[in-house]
Amino acid sequence: MDPIAAIILANSPPRAEHLLVIDVPELVPAAVGRADRVSVWCDDIRHARQVPSPLLLHRLDAAALSGVDLVWLRLPKALGALDEYAELVAGHACAAVRLVAGGREKHLNRTMNRVLGSHFGAVAASLGQRKSRALLASDPIPAPITWPRRRELVVAGQLVDLHWHGATFAAGRIDAGTQLLIDHLESVADADRYLDLGSGSGVLATLLARRHPQAQVHAVDASWAAVDASRLTSAGTGVEVHWACDLAGFGNGSLDVVVCNPPFHRGPAKDSTPTLQLFAEAGRALSDGGEFWCVFNSHLPWRTRLSQLVGPTRQVAQNRHYTLTRSLRR
């Protein structure tokens, strides 16, 4: 068994009435065996696809958390995500709820204890097991729900109502890579069909929709936190938002322009495979002569891979940390 799943099980009570599993789909069979009712939440659609649909929640809210007395959670990388999950559980689950959150020891830090301590009266750490450990929280402290959050930003001379969840990339700000792409949006071709691939908070899709109001603009992300943030940020623009980890919903040659600030890893593990698969998918979905704009960390050898997977690629801009390229579909 995965060490994180094992440490969660080892520190849990034998029975529960309503067990909520968050981002640990491999524990669903065990949950069904020890609880009268099981609900499952997955931020990543690749995890959600592993869960039987009757158990899968479509939103974490008061109705979904009603009666929950035990929560199994894989500790997220982002502290904001942990804060959002803890706030929701403390605010909506039953007063006797116990939260068991597991993670690899190398990814744990004391700030996680403080985050949980702001929502629970009792927080402790388990003994280590196979280089993993669990944080145990009980005695919830209900408070008003503050997620998702929003702020107004001026981006490229336009006022943007930016929304984000705790797990949304670059939560509440414009990261430097995205800013480099924004600085060159005026060079992106006028077209009929655009896609923001890995949309995060949805700021690129929003700006494209405003620049090209007659065009179709899509936003795709594998994270529910990003999809919901993109939907909120782009409200009123007509952007179509998709919760997906690939471009299976787009036919060959169905897009004219793709813009992308891709992830270079999935979760804590550095793995470029999903990103390279997205490059290949973009090449398939682009029309002949279509443009793929990509910004990435300059140390990554992606210009060569983009030439192989999409088409001829040139460097448009580069700063100390990021490189922006434009690839033309062969």
Side-chain angles (χ1 to χ4, degrees):
M1 178 180 286
D2 172 80
I4 295 176
I7 198 74
I8 291 172
L9 283 179
N11 288 276
S12 295
R15 290 293 302 172
E17 292 186 9
H18 186 182
L19 199 164
L20 171 62
V21 181
I22 300 178
D23 294 334
V24 207
E26 58 267 43
L27 279 181
V28 171
V32 172
R34 69 167 67 188
D36 298 327
R37 179 183 173 190
V38 174
S39 299
V40 184
W41 172 261
C42 294
D43 178 72
D44 192 314
I45 193 169
R46 291 162 288 196
H47 291 160
R49 288 174 176 171
Q50 302 173 29
V51 179
S53 56
L55 304 181
L56 194 63
L57 297 171
H58 298 289
R59 181 173 290 274
L60 275 182
D61 55 17
L65 286 157
S66 178
V68 168
D69 59 335
L70 179 61
V71 177
W72 288 347
L73 166 68
R74 180 183 292 272
L75 281 164
K77 179 182 178 181
L79 290 173
L82 180 60
D83 185 74
E84 183 169 7
Y85 286 147
E87 181 180 88
L88 288 166
V89 171
H92 296 314
C94 73
V97 67
R98 295 178 64 179
L99 184 146
V100 184
R104 300 292 279 173
E105 289 181 336
K106 64 182 179 180
H107 298 139
L108 303 184
N109 58 72
R110 293 190 179 277
T111 307
M112 291 177 170
N113 297 60
R114 291 197 290 271
V115 169
L116 288 173
S118 66
H119 300 288
F120 293 89
V123 178
S126 75
L127 296 175
Q129 176 181 307
R130 295 169 60 192
K131 299 182 180 180
S132 300
R133 197 176 295 270
L135 299 182
L136 315 173
S138 58
D139 301 335
I141 306 170
I145 303 301
T146 64
W147 296 95
R149 296 177 179 171
R150 61 174 292 272
R151 63 183 294 204
E152 291 185 341
L153 291 177
V154 176
V155 185
Q158 299 186 44
L159 187 64
V160 175
D161 193 16
L162 190 71
H163 294 253
W164 71 96
H165 286 272
T168 307
F169 173 69
R173 61 185 177 87
I174 306 298
D175 68 286
T178 298
Q179 186 61 57
L180 183 61
L181 209 165
I182 289 171
D183 291 341
H184 292 82
L185 276 184
E186 71 276 1
S187 299
V188 172
D190 289 326
D192 296 323
R193 302 163 299 179
Y194 294 86
L195 170 66
D196 179 3
L197 180 56
S199 59
S201 62
V203 65
L204 288 172
T206 299
L207 293 175
L208 285 171
R210 291 181 181 179
R211 285 176 175 270
H212 309 279
Q214 304 306 314
Q216 295 178 359
V217 179
H218 300 269
V220 167
D221 205 293
S223 164
W224 183 93
V227 167
D228 196 58
S230 294
R231 178 182 61 81
L232 293 168
T233 298
S234 65
T237 65
V239 172
E240 296 184 38
V241 184
H242 311 264
W243 189 29
C245 59
D246 53 35
L247 299 184
F250 296 87
N252 295 351
S254 63
L255 297 167
D256 301 312
V257 175
V258 177
V259 298
C260 184
N261 180 5
F264 66 91
H265 58 77
R266 180 179 176 184
K270 293 184 178 180
D271 179 9
S272 295
T273 302
T275 298
L276 296 177
Q277 291 172 342
L278 287 179
F279 290 169
E281 281 280 284
R284 175 194 61 77
L286 278 169
S287 58
D288 290 341
E291 298 182 354
F292 185 81
W293 291 74
C294 187
V295 63
F296 50 87
N297 294 81
S298 294
H299 70 275
L300 294 170
W302 282 358
R303 181 174 174 179
T304 299
R305 300 307 302 272
L306 285 166
S307 295
Q308 296 167 345
L309 297 170
V310 181
T313 300
R314 69 175 180 88
Q315 179 178 302
V316 175
Q318 187 176 53
N319 58 29
R320 185 176 178 183
H321 299 291
Y322 295 97
T323 297
L324 175 65
T325 59
R326 172 179 173 266
S327 305
L328 289 180
R329 178 72 172 89
R330 295 184 184 91

